[in-house]
Amino acid sequence: SEDAPQAKALNYVKVAADAKGHPRWNEGEYCDNCMFWRPANNGCSLFPQNSVEPKGWCQSWVKAN
Ligand code: SF4
């Protein structure tokens, strides 16, 4: 959830485009193409206690291999 402390710290948003204006955000970056995405449970390895939206984003986004 966007309210989780770690999510807030990383400026997580449920809809990637809502991060427009963030210096790290670029069009086409989503949780589901991030190296930290865990598709089995809509998870993020940086927020193991919470699920994230496939089309969400945060400032720790790194392109998946
Ligand atoms: Fe989404 Fe990646 Fe940020 Fe996790 S690290 S919330 S998968 S953008």
Side-chain angles (χ1 to χ4, degrees):
S1 112
E2 288 173 325
D3 298 328
Q6 310 97 309
K8 277 194 160 166
L10 296 176
N11 290 309
Y12 168 74
V13 289
K14 292 178 179 174
V15 176
D18 288 349
K20 196 168 186 172
H22 189 294
R24 299 273 297 271
W25 180 83
N26 293 291
E27 184 81 51
E29 297 177 352
Y30 300 104
C31 289
D32 69 4
N33 61 18
C34 172
M35 70 175 289
F36 299 114
W37 170 242
R38 293 295 174 263
N41 57 352
N42 272 13
C44 170
S45 56
L46 300 188
F47 313 147
Q49 314 303 331
N50 299 94
S51 62
V52 295
E53 293 295 322
K55 296 303 179 190
W57 180 91
C58 89
Q59 68 191 41
S60 291
W61 184 91
V62 177
K63 185 175 170 50
N65 291 319

